[in-house]
Amino acid sequence: MSPAPDPSDELVVLLDAAGAAIGTARKADVHTADTPRHLAFSCYVIDAQGRLLVSRRARTKRTFPGVLTNSVCGHPGPGESLAEAVVRRAQAELGLELTPGALRLVLPDFAYRAEMGGIVEHELCPVFLATVPDGTLLQPDPREVASVAWIPWADYRDQVLAGTLEVSAWSGEQVRQLARLGGDPGDWPEADATLLPPAARVGPGVDRV
């Protein structure tokens, strides 16, 4: 059996100010004190009880180590759709089996810039929702995830908005926008995929996100 690929060797897609692809770079090289804008994603996994799967990033990670955040985040590779990247990273980080058809795009044009410990994240980061059955099995990779928990979405939202729960900079900003979509994640409307950044429109049309 061949060894698992080193995540630091993955390529990320670099973006211009309009969100169009302008090249690629190794993930290990791109995250510095002056990180260029690049393409990413976030996904919020909700079970049938309305609980959010939250994860704490491994303390060995170079970017934002030990931070509590949403279910799964990552970067699509060159030519990879966002949905394919979500599925790939959910499996790699959490041992969570998702399918592209189970994903709903909810924030197509989310963007942020944040810094921790001298390392900057600077991303266009569309946000997805995935709904899974209660009791879904997880096998977190300790190199990526220190711990996981299921928290009622309303509790996570309210504590983040009140400032009583410290979470990643991106999740904090995302929660403020997600709260405007309604109280029940199951009722959040699917976003218009044409609002995705140009680099995220993989394939012959923008329906394959």
Side-chain angles (χ1 to χ4, degrees), residues 155-165 172 175-177 179:
D155 291 354
Y156 185 81
R157 176 200 62 204
D158 292 348
Q159 291 178 55
V160 169
L161 294 179
T164 57
L165 182 65
V175 167
R176 290 176 179 84
Q177 295 187 30

Side-chain angles (χ1 to χ4, degrees), residues 25-115:
R26 289 178 70 244
K27 186 169 72 172
D29 298 332
V30 76
H31 293 99
T32 67
D34 190 26
T35 301
R37 176 180 274 198
H38 55 283
L39 186 61
F41 70 83
S42 281
C43 184
Y44 286 68
V45 177
I46 302 285
D47 72 6
Q49 297 183 52
R51 298 181 303 175
L52 171 68
L53 175 62
V54 297
S55 62
R56 187 172 296 280
R57 292 166 65 83
R59 299 188 184 279
T60 54
K61 290 185 73 70
R62 184 180 182 192
T63 56
F64 293 79
V67 171
L68 188 70
T69 192
N70 54 288
S71 311
V72 61
C73 307
H75 307 86
E80 183 181 34
S81 75
L82 289 173
E84 289 167 340
V86 174
V87 170
R88 174 174 58 83
R89 290 307 300 166
Q91 171 61 43
E93 292 187 16
L94 299 167
L96 175 60
E97 298 286 349
L98 296 176
T99 63
L103 303 177
R104 185 188 311 169
L105 178 67
V106 289
L107 297 178
D109 54 0
F110 178 79
Y112 77 100
R113 187 179 186 279
E115 181 270 338

